[in-house]
Amino acid sequence: MQLSQKNQKLALAAAAGVAAMLVIRRKLRTKIRAAFDIGSGEHKLVVAAVHGTSVKVLHSEVSTVLLAQDLTRPGGDGALSAGALRASKEALNDLAERAAAQGAQAKAGVATAVFRRARNGEQHLKKCSDALALNLRIVPQSTEGELGFLTACAAAGREVACAWDSGGGSFQLSARVGGGGVRVYAGPLGNADAFARLRDMGGATSQNVKAVIAALTDELPPAPAWLAAALQEGPAVAFGHRSSCFRVACDAIGASGFAPEDVKRATAKLVSLGDDGARADWLQYVAQGHAHVVAPLSDRAALDEPYPEPHLALAKLVLVAAVMAKLNVERVEYHETNGSCLGV
C-alpha cells in the first residue's frame, strides 16, 4: 500500500528530524582537544576534534626551544638559564593562545626529559601550566615510551612491532609484549648530549664523530630480550617533526626509512661539508627534492623555511648511529608527526 501524500510528508519530516538529532548528538559528543608535547628541544601543540576513536586535526604547531642544549651548556649548573626559561614561557603563552583560538574545550600535555633533569624544570613547568590552565605534567620515560608507541601506531595506521621516539634529552623504544602491556627501553641520552660530546672534543671531525659514536654505543644499556625479539618482527617505526633525528636521516638519503649503512653515509656527508652553514644549505636542498618520498603529507610551504637546527643535524645522526649499533636495529621506518601529540 502506498503512503498518502500527507503521510509521505510526515515520514520525510520524521526522517529529517532523526537525522538532525543524530547530527546534534554527534556534535555534542565531539570535543575539541588541545594536546601539548613539551619536549627538550621543541614545544608542540595539536588541536583536534575528537569523536570516539575518530581524530580530525584542526591545527598543528611547533616552537623550537632548545632547553636540553641550554642545560648542557659549558659551565652549566644543572639548571635551565633565565633566557631558556623566558623562551619556554613565551612559547607556551603563544601555544595556549592558539589553542584557545581554535576553540579547545580540554587541554592536557606532557613534559619530558629536560624537565626531569633540570633542577628548576619542575618548578618552571608548574608555574606556566597553572597560569595558563594547560594541565601539563612531567612524565617518566615509561610513559613517554607508551605515548610513543601509541603515536607510532596512529602514524603508521597499524599495530607496529616496535616504536622509536627520540629527542633532545632522551629516547625510548617500545613494543607490546605477548599481547599484553607495552614495554619500554629507556635511553638516557638525547641529541643534546651527542652535541655536547662533539663540542667538548673540539668539533665535528671524522675522527671525533667515530669516537663519540663508539663512546655512546658503549654507554647504552644492552637490548633486553623482549626488545631484541620485537626488532626481529619488523622495522622500528620512528616518528617526529621536520627537525627530528629520523627526518634528518631520511632527508639526507632521500627515503622514508633507513638502515645502519644509510646513516653511516649520511653522517660522512655532513662531516665532509665542513660547517653548519654548508650543512644547512645542503639539507634544505635535498629535503625539498625528497619531500614527496620522505613526508608526502607535509606542508610544502614549510620546506621553504630554513632547515631547522642545522647545528644539531650531525649530532642527531651520531645518536641514531649509536643506538642502531648497540641495539642491533636493522631497519627504521619513518612517519612525520608533531611529536607525540597524537599519543597524548
Side-chain angles (χ1 to χ4, degrees), residues 142-200:
S142 58
T143 302
E144 268 194 272
E146 291 168 1
L147 291 172
F149 185 80
L150 293 174
T151 300
C153 292
R158 68 180 193 277
E159 175 96 351
V160 303
C162 179
W164 184 2
D165 184 13
S166 187
S170 66
F171 69 90
Q172 301 81 38
L173 283 89
S174 51
R176 192 183 302 282
V177 179
V182 174
R183 300 282 296 274
V184 177
Y185 173 97
L189 303 168
N191 60 62
D193 299 289
F195 175 82
R197 301 288 183 91
L198 287 171
R199 178 198 66 209
D200 294 345

Coordinates of all heavy atoms in Angstrom, one line a residue, residues 142-200:
S142 N 58.9 5.8 31.1 CA 58.0 4.7 30.7 C 56.7 5.2 30.1 O 56.2 4.6 29.1 CB 57.6 3.9 32.0 OG 57.1 4.8 33.0
T143 N 56.2 6.3 30.6 CA 55.0 6.9 30.0 C 55.4 7.5 28.6 O 54.6 7.4 27.7 CB 54.4 8.0 30.9 OG1 54.1 7.4 32.2 CG2 53.2 8.6 30.3
E144 N 56.5 8.1 28.5 CA 57.0 8.6 27.2 C 56.9 7.5 26.2 O 56.5 7.7 25.0 CB 58.4 9.2 27.3 CG 58.5 10.6 27.6 CD 59.9 11.2 27.3 OE1 60.7 11.1 28.3 OE2 60.2 11.6 26.2
G145 N 57.5 6.4 26.6 CA 57.5 5.2 25.6 C 56.2 4.7 25.2 O 55.9 4.4 24.1
E146 N 55.2 4.7 26.2 CA 53.9 4.2 25.9 C 53.2 5.2 25.0 O 52.5 4.8 24.0 CB 53.1 4.1 27.2 CG 53.6 3.0 28.1 CD 53.0 3.0 29.5 OE1 52.2 4.0 29.8 OE2 53.3 2.2 30.3
L147 N 53.4 6.5 25.2 CA 52.8 7.5 24.3 C 53.4 7.4 22.9 O 52.8 7.6 21.9 CB 53.0 8.9 24.8 CG 52.2 9.3 26.1 CD1 52.6 10.6 26.7 CD2 50.7 9.3 25.8
G148 N 54.7 7.1 22.9 CA 55.4 7.0 21.6 C 54.9 5.8 20.8 O 54.7 5.8 19.6
F149 N 54.6 4.7 21.5 CA 54.0 3.5 20.9 C 52.7 3.8 20.3 O 52.4 3.5 19.1 CB 53.9 2.4 21.9 CG 53.5 1.1 21.3 CD1 54.3 0.3 20.6 CD2 52.1 0.7 21.4 CE1 53.9 -0.9 20.0 CE2 51.7 -0.5 20.8 CZ 52.6 -1.3 20.1
L150 N 51.8 4.5 21.0 CA 50.5 4.9 20.5 C 50.6 5.8 19.3 O 49.9 5.7 18.3 CB 49.7 5.6 21.6 CG 49.3 4.7 22.8 CD1 48.6 5.6 23.9 CD2 48.3 3.6 22.3
T151 N 51.6 6.8 19.4 CA 51.8 7.7 18.3 C 52.3 7.0 17.0 O 51.8 7.2 15.9 CB 52.8 8.8 18.7 OG1 52.3 9.5 19.8 CG2 53.0 9.8 17.5
A152 N 53.2 6.0 17.2 CA 53.7 5.3 16.1 C 52.7 4.5 15.4 O 52.6 4.4 14.2 CB 54.9 4.4 16.5
C153 N 51.8 3.8 16.2 CA 50.7 3.0 15.6 C 49.7 3.9 14.9 O 49.3 3.5 13.8 CB 50.0 2.3 16.8 SG 50.9 1.0 17.6
A154 N 49.4 5.1 15.5 CA 48.5 6.0 14.8 C 49.1 6.5 13.5 O 48.4 6.6 12.4 CB 48.2 7.2 15.7
A155 N 50.4 6.8 13.5 CA 51.0 7.4 12.3 C 51.2 6.3 11.2 O 51.0 6.6 10.0 CB 52.4 7.9 12.7
A156 N 51.5 5.1 11.6 CA 51.6 4.0 10.6 C 50.3 3.4 10.2 O 50.3 2.7 9.1 CB 52.6 2.9 11.2
G157 N 49.3 3.6 11.0 CA 48.0 3.0 10.6 C 47.9 1.5 10.9 O 47.1 0.8 10.3
R158 N 48.7 1.1 11.8 CA 48.7 -0.4 12.2 C 49.4 -0.6 13.5 O 50.0 0.4 14.1 CB 49.5 -1.2 11.1 CG 51.0 -0.9 11.1 CD 51.7 -1.7 10.1 NE 53.2 -1.7 10.2 CZ 54.0 -0.8 9.8 NH1 53.5 0.3 9.1 NH2 55.3 -0.9 10.0
E159 N 49.2 -1.7 14.1 CA 50.0 -2.1 15.3 C 51.4 -2.4 14.9 O 51.6 -3.3 14.2 CB 49.3 -3.3 16.0 CG 50.1 -3.8 17.2 CD 49.6 -3.3 18.5 OE1 48.7 -2.4 18.5 OE2 50.0 -3.8 19.6
V160 N 52.3 -1.6 15.4 CA 53.7 -1.8 15.0 C 54.4 -2.8 15.9 O 54.0 -3.0 17.0 CB 54.5 -0.4 15.0 CG1 53.8 0.6 14.0 CG2 54.6 0.2 16.4
A161 N 55.5 -3.4 15.4 CA 56.3 -4.3 16.2 C 57.1 -3.5 17.2 O 57.2 -4.0 18.4 CB 57.2 -5.1 15.3
C162 N 57.6 -2.4 16.8 CA 58.5 -1.6 17.7 C 58.4 -0.1 17.4 O 58.4 0.2 16.2 CB 59.9 -2.1 17.6 SG 61.1 -1.2 18.7
A163 N 58.3 0.7 18.3 CA 58.3 2.2 18.1 C 59.6 2.8 18.7 O 60.1 2.3 19.7 CB 57.1 2.8 18.8
W164 N 60.0 3.9 18.0 CA 61.2 4.6 18.4 C 61.0 6.1 18.5 O 60.6 6.7 17.5 CB 62.4 4.2 17.5 CG 63.7 4.8 17.9 CD1 64.0 5.5 19.0 CD2 64.9 4.6 17.2 NE1 65.4 5.8 19.0 CE2 66.0 5.3 17.9 CE3 65.3 4.0 16.0 CZ2 67.3 5.3 17.4 CZ3 66.6 4.0 15.5 CH2 67.6 4.7 16.3
D165 N 61.1 6.6 19.6 CA 60.9 8.1 19.8 C 62.3 8.6 20.3 O 62.9 8.0 21.2 CB 59.8 8.4 20.8 CG 59.5 9.8 21.0 OD1 60.0 10.6 20.2 OD2 58.8 10.2 22.0
S166 N 62.7 9.8 19.8 CA 64.0 10.3 20.2 C 63.9 11.8 20.2 O 63.3 12.4 19.4 CB 65.1 9.9 19.3 OG 66.4 10.2 19.8
G167 N 64.5 12.5 21.3 CA 64.5 13.9 21.4 C 65.8 14.5 21.9 O 66.9 13.8 21.8
G168 N 65.8 15.7 22.4 CA 67.0 16.3 22.8 C 67.6 15.8 24.1 O 68.8 15.8 24.2
G169 N 66.8 15.1 24.9 CA 67.3 14.7 26.2 C 67.2 13.2 26.5 O 67.8 12.7 27.4
S170 N 66.5 12.4 25.7 CA 66.3 11.0 25.9 C 65.7 10.4 24.7 O 65.3 11.0 23.7 CB 65.5 10.7 27.1 OG 64.1 11.2 26.9
F171 N 65.7 9.0 24.7 CA 65.0 8.3 23.6 C 64.3 7.1 24.2 O 64.7 6.6 25.3 CB 65.9 7.9 22.5 CG 66.9 6.9 22.8 CD1 66.7 5.5 22.6 CD2 68.2 7.2 23.3 CE1 67.6 4.6 22.9 CE2 69.1 6.3 23.6 CZ 68.9 5.0 23.4
Q172 N 63.3 6.5 23.5 CA 62.7 5.3 24.0 C 62.3 4.4 22.8 O 61.9 4.9 21.8 CB 61.3 5.7 24.7 CG 61.4 6.6 25.9 CD 61.5 8.0 25.5 OE1 60.9 8.5 24.6 NE2 62.3 8.8 26.2
L173 N 62.5 3.1 23.0 CA 62.0 2.1 22.1 C 61.0 1.3 22.9 O 61.2 0.9 24.0 CB 63.1 1.2 21.6 CG 64.0 1.8 20.4 CD1 65.1 2.5 21.0 CD2 64.4 0.8 19.4
S174 N 59.8 1.0 22.2 CA 58.7 0.4 23.0 C 58.1 -0.6 22.1 O 58.1 -0.6 20.8 CB 57.7 1.4 23.4 OG 57.3 2.3 22.4
A175 N 57.5 -1.7 22.7 CA 56.8 -2.7 22.0 C 55.8 -3.4 22.9 O 55.9 -3.4 24.1 CB 57.8 -3.8 21.5
R176 N 54.7 -3.9 22.3 CA 53.7 -4.7 23.0 C 54.2 -6.1 23.1 O 54.5 -6.7 22.1 CB 52.4 -4.6 22.4 CG 51.2 -5.1 23.3 CD 49.9 -5.1 22.6 NE 49.5 -3.8 22.1 CZ 49.0 -2.8 22.9 NH1 48.9 -3.0 24.2 NH2 48.7 -1.6 22.4
V177 N 54.3 -6.6 24.3 CA 54.9 -7.9 24.5 C 53.8 -9.0 24.8 O 53.0 -8.8 25.8 CB 55.9 -7.9 25.7 CG1 56.5 -9.3 25.9 CG2 57.0 -6.9 25.3
G178 N 53.7 -10.0 24.1 CA 52.8 -11.1 24.3 C 51.3 -10.7 24.3 O 50.5 -11.3 25.0
G179 N 51.0 -9.7 23.6 CA 49.6 -9.3 23.5 C 49.1 -8.5 24.8 O 48.0 -8.2 24.9
G180 N 50.1 -8.2 25.6 CA 49.7 -7.5 26.9 C 50.1 -6.1 26.8 O 49.9 -5.3 25.9
G181 N 50.8 -5.6 27.9 CA 51.1 -4.2 28.0 C 52.4 -3.8 27.2 O 53.1 -4.7 26.7
V182 N 52.6 -2.5 27.1 CA 53.7 -2.0 26.4 C 55.0 -2.0 27.3 O 54.9 -1.4 28.4 CB 53.4 -0.6 25.8 CG1 54.6 0.0 25.1 CG2 52.3 -0.7 24.8
R183 N 56.1 -2.5 26.8 CA 57.4 -2.5 27.5 C 58.2 -1.4 26.9 O 58.1 -1.1 25.7 CB 58.1 -3.8 27.4 CG 57.3 -5.0 28.0 CD 57.4 -5.0 29.5 NE 58.8 -5.2 30.0 CZ 59.3 -6.5 30.1 NH1 58.7 -7.6 29.8 NH2 60.6 -6.6 30.6
V184 N 59.0 -0.7 27.7 CA 59.8 0.4 27.2 C 61.3 0.3 27.6 O 61.6 0.0 28.7 CB 59.2 1.7 27.9 CG1 60.1 2.9 27.4 CG2 57.8 1.9 27.5
Y185 N 62.1 0.5 26.6 CA 63.6 0.6 26.8 C 63.8 2.1 26.9 O 63.6 2.9 26.0 CB 64.3 0.0 25.6 CG 65.8 0.3 25.6 CD1 66.7 -0.7 26.0 CD2 66.4 1.5 25.1 CE1 68.1 -0.5 26.1 CE2 67.7 1.7 25.1 CZ 68.6 0.7 25.6 OH 69.9 0.9 25.6
A186 N 64.3 2.5 28.0 CA 64.5 4.0 28.3 C 66.0 4.4 28.1 O 66.9 4.1 28.8 CB 64.2 4.3 29.8
G187 N 66.2 5.0 27.0 CA 67.5 5.5 26.6 C 67.8 6.8 27.3 O 67.1 7.8 27.3
P188 N 69.0 6.9 28.0 CA 69.3 8.0 28.9 C 69.9 9.2 28.2 O 70.3 10.2 28.9 CB 70.3 7.4 29.9 CG 71.0 6.4 29.1 CD 70.0 5.8 28.2
L189 N 70.1 9.1 26.9 CA 70.8 10.2 26.1 C 69.9 10.8 25.0 O 69.0 10.1 24.5 CB 72.0 9.6 25.5 CG 73.1 9.0 26.5 CD1 74.1 8.2 25.7 CD2 73.7 10.0 27.4
G190 N 70.2 12.0 24.7 CA 69.5 12.7 23.6 C 70.5 13.4 22.7 O 71.7 13.3 22.9
N191 N 69.9 14.0 21.6 CA 70.9 14.6 20.7 C 71.7 15.8 21.3 O 72.8 16.1 20.8 CB 70.1 15.1 19.4 CG 69.1 16.1 19.7 OD1 69.3 17.2 20.1 ND2 67.8 15.7 19.3
A192 N 71.1 16.4 22.3 CA 71.9 17.5 23.0 C 73.2 16.9 23.7 O 74.2 17.6 23.7 CB 71.0 18.2 24.0
D193 N 73.1 15.7 24.2 CA 74.2 15.0 24.8 C 75.3 14.7 23.7 O 76.5 14.9 23.9 CB 73.8 13.7 25.5 CG 72.8 14.0 26.6 OD1 73.2 14.6 27.6 OD2 71.6 13.7 26.4
A194 N 74.8 14.2 22.6 CA 75.8 13.9 21.5 C 76.4 15.2 21.0 O 77.6 15.2 20.7 CB 75.0 13.2 20.3
F195 N 75.7 16.3 20.9 CA 76.2 17.6 20.5 C 77.3 18.0 21.5 O 78.3 18.5 21.1 CB 75.1 18.6 20.4 CG 75.6 20.0 20.1 CD1 75.8 20.4 18.8 CD2 75.7 20.9 21.1 CE1 76.3 21.7 18.5 CE2 76.2 22.2 20.9 CZ 76.4 22.6 19.6
A196 N 77.0 17.9 22.8 CA 77.9 18.3 23.8 C 79.2 17.5 23.8 O 80.3 18.1 23.9 CB 77.3 18.2 25.2
R197 N 79.1 16.2 23.5 CA 80.3 15.4 23.3 C 81.2 15.9 22.2 O 82.4 16.0 22.3 CB 79.9 13.9 23.1 CG 79.1 13.3 24.2 CD 79.9 13.1 25.5 NE 79.0 12.4 26.5 CZ 78.9 11.1 26.6 NH1 79.6 10.3 25.8 NH2 78.1 10.6 27.5
L198 N 80.6 16.1 21.0 CA 81.3 16.6 19.9 C 82.0 18.0 20.2 O 83.1 18.2 19.8 CB 80.4 16.7 18.7 CG 80.0 15.4 18.0 CD1 78.9 15.6 17.0 CD2 81.2 14.7 17.4
R199 N 81.2 18.8 20.8 CA 81.7 20.2 21.1 C 82.9 20.1 22.1 O 83.9 20.7 21.8 CB 80.6 21.0 21.8 CG 81.0 22.4 22.3 CD 80.0 22.9 23.3 NE 80.0 22.1 24.5 CZ 78.9 21.9 25.3 NH1 77.8 22.4 25.0 NH2 79.1 21.2 26.4
D200 N 82.8 19.2 23.1 CA 83.9 19.1 24.1 C 85.1 18.5 23.5 O 86.2 18.6 24.0 CB 83.4 18.4 25.3 CG 82.3 19.1 26.0 OD1 82.1 20.4 25.8 OD2 81.6 18.5 26.9

